[in-house]
Amino acid sequence: SLYTNTHILLTMSSLNDIVPPGVVTGDNLLKLLQHARDNGYAIPAVNCTSSSTANACLEAARKNKSPIMIQVSNGGGAFMCGKSIKDPTNAVAGAVALAMHVRTVAKYYGVPVVLHSDHCAKKLLPWFDGMIKANEEWFAKFGEPLFSSHMLDLSEEPDEENISICVEYFKRMVPMKIWLEMEIGITGGEEDGVNNEDVDPEKLYTSPEQVWDVYEALSKIGSMFSVAAAFGNVHGVYKPGNVTLQPERLGKHQAYAKEKLGCDNDKPIYLVMHGGSGSTDDEIALAVANGVIKMNIDTDTQWAYWDGLREFEASKREYLQGQIGNPDGPDKPNKKFYDPRVWVRKAEESMIKRAGVSMEKLKTVDTYPAKIPESGSLPMWNFKPTGPVEGAVKKITSGFSALSQKLQK
């Protein structure tokens, strides 16, 4: 069958041979996630709120020879725009700014990067609309969307409404080959202003019939979608064993869909895992074995970023009490200690290590030996306009070249 032949090809192929480095979208994103599903690994998706945290993720991916997903939440987008900005489009602007930063630097790291937006509840749909508009404008100029994928989280709404809204947005996304992640069943706990701490425990477990309803509706429109099916997941930080995860339920979703489809594929549905903090290694491994191709990471990397700064401050406290004067002498300067590039870097290094731990747990380490570009081989920006825009860019570039030559004379 077509599935069997594709499965054999992807399990035999090196990821380096089928997916390019840099931000991946469309067909390349589909190949990446197919390869993950067919080879039993899941890609870590880390929430980022700054260029610093994004760079830490990229460095961790390069160091561990792994693909990476960089995702932004509504609150993260607003923070990226600037806490003082109260304009209603601040989260859109911040999300776009982070995406532009990642697009500019990603290829220098030599690994595949997925640009994703995180939970979008019904009340946040204007944010989603803004990002879709940005994608459409980017697509018109460059032939691909700005973001690789987006998530709609309408799990608090009735299933019928949840699915119908996802269908309408997916119709708009499919022409640009943007991946849609949706959630059915609720992830407990609290994250980014969405509080499900007091939710009915039964809603923390999605049924196979619910997952099938999603698959049946979305598969009529396109194939690039995944389902965040709840299996007891909880946002936040908990000790292993304090969260009752049931990842075996994911296998039941796959078996139910396989029977309905009458197909050869044991994992016909792309699944994602939220609320992974506090999960045991065995629970994560079973979830991945049952078709999870992405796991969200936020709480643990937040702590790691802070912990790097905390350790640095504790070790250099006497050098951080003023601009001048330290244990080495009353006139000794302290700039090399309080320079943000020093202590922010310590935070990054700690986050890099923690992201690497997730890559080990999710089995992405060594899946993609980094293709580091030859020094000086990349243009300042990696955007390749199509159509009339290309001619305009050439004129601007030639104008700069002429001006530069004139100035050199």
Side-chain angles (χ1 to χ4, degrees):
S1 69
L2 177 61
Y3 162 71
T4 302
N5 291 337
T6 304
H7 173 76
I8 292 173
L9 177 63
L10 287 173
T11 50
M12 292 178 64
S13 299
S14 165
L15 187 58
N16 282 73
D17 295 332
I18 58 176
V19 177
V23 173
V24 293
T25 62
D27 293 340
N28 286 325
L29 175 59
L30 180 58
K31 290 176 186 176
L32 172 61
L33 298 182
Q34 282 180 327
H35 193 274
R37 181 187 64 184
D38 293 344
N39 290 275
Y41 64 89
I43 301 169
V46 185
N47 283 71
C48 294
T49 56
S50 64
S51 59
S52 172
T53 51
N55 288 353
C57 291
L58 292 168
E59 187 171 342
R62 182 180 66 183
K63 183 177 180 180
N64 290 279
K65 304 174 184 177
S66 166
I68 184 72
M69 292 191 180
I70 291 177
Q71 60 187 28
V72 60
S73 66
N74 177 270
F79 183 85
M80 182 74 184
C81 185
K83 286 290 286 185
S84 67
I85 304 302
K86 303 303 179 185
D87 188 277
T89 62
N90 60 349
V92 177
V96 169
L98 186 65
M100 292 287 286
H101 167 75
V102 173
R103 276 196 169 273
T104 304
V105 303
K107 283 191 175 180
Y108 290 98
Y109 291 85
V111 294
V113 181
V114 179
L115 272 173
H116 180 71
S117 66
D118 202 10
H119 294 265
C120 179
K122 189 176 180 180
K123 65 182 179 181
L124 300 178
L125 285 177
W127 172 55
F128 200 92
D129 292 334
M131 291 187 291
I132 293 296
K133 184 178 179 182
N135 282 313
E136 290 171 338
E137 292 181 2
W138 191 270
F139 188 87
K141 292 180 180 179
F142 304 111
E144 68 171 342
L146 176 61
F147 291 87
S148 312
S149 56
H150 294 290
M151 184 197 179
L152 282 171
D153 180 2
L154 304 168
S155 56
E156 294 181 326
E157 314 306 323
D159 286 0
E160 185 177 347
E161 182 180 2
N162 179 354
I163 295 171
S164 65
I165 293 175
C166 287
V167 164
E168 292 309 308
Y169 275 103
F170 197 37
K171 287 177 181 177
R172 193 172 168 188
M173 295 164 71
V174 162
M176 295 181 282
K177 295 186 177 180
I178 303 173
W179 191 279
L180 172 65
E181 176 186 329
M182 68 83 67
E183 181 164 342
I184 192 159
I186 293 175
T187 301
E190 189 275 334
E191 183 178 58
D192 205 40
V194 177
N195 194 322
N196 291 323
E197 291 177 312
D198 298 321
V199 73
D200 179 354
E202 280 302 308
K203 292 186 178 180
L204 297 178
Y205 300 99
T206 307
S207 71
E209 290 80 8
Q210 287 176 293
V211 175
W212 173 250
D213 286 344
V214 174
Y215 183 89
E216 194 172 30
L218 295 182
S219 62
K220 293 174 183 177
I221 304 164
S223 60
M224 294 180 60
F225 66 91
S226 51
V227 182
F231 55 99
N233 324 57
V234 178
H235 285 136
V237 58
Y238 301 86
K239 289 183 179 180
N242 283 12
V243 176
T244 308
L245 284 182
Q246 298 180 20
E248 63 274 8
R249 286 176 177 254
L250 302 179
K252 294 178 181 178
H253 301 332
Q254 300 284 20
Y256 187 87
K258 179 181 178 180
E259 182 181 354
K260 283 284 191 179
L261 292 167
C263 65
D264 297 329
N265 191 349
D266 290 332
K267 294 180 284 188
I269 299 175
Y270 292 98
L271 298 172
V272 301
M273 179 177 176
H274 293 185
S277 297
S279 305
T280 67
D281 291 353
D282 288 343
E283 288 168 339
I284 293 173
L286 183 55
V288 173
N290 284 327
V292 164
I293 45 85
K294 165 186 181 277
M295 188 177 91
N296 284 12
I297 303 157
D298 187 16
T299 306
D300 291 336
T301 44
Q302 284 181 345
W303 169 258
Y305 194 86
W306 154 249
D307 199 37
L309 171 55
R310 182 192 62 79
E311 287 187 350
F312 174 74
E313 190 279 333
S315 67
K316 302 296 182 183
R317 183 165 298 163
E318 293 178 314
Y319 294 83
L320 296 167
Q321 302 309 306
Q323 289 185 282
I324 302 292
N326 59 48
D328 298 330
D331 298 325
K332 295 292 185 180
N334 294 316
K335 187 179 186 306
K336 65 180 181 181
F337 300 101
Y338 65 75
D339 185 329
R341 290 169 295 182
V342 177
W343 49 266
V344 168
R345 180 56 182 166
K346 295 300 181 181
E348 290 176 353
E349 288 172 350
S350 180
M351 185 175 175
I352 290 164
K353 289 180 182 177
R354 182 57 187 83
V357 171
S358 291
M359 291 168 185
E360 290 177 5
K361 291 176 183 287
L362 297 172
K363 302 179 181 179
T364 61
V365 175
D366 292 330
T367 58
Y368 198 97
K371 296 180 178 179
I372 305 300
E374 184 179 346
S375 180
S377 65
L378 290 180
M380 276 192 294
W381 58 85
N382 301 308
F383 315 139
K384 297 179 180 178
T386 57
V389 180
E390 187 173 10
V393 171
K394 286 181 178 178
K395 288 182 180 180
I396 294 171
T397 304
S398 62
F400 278 133
S401 298
L403 178 61
S404 177
Q405 291 174 2
K406 186 176 181 181
L407 291 173
Q408 289 176 2
K409 292 178 180 179

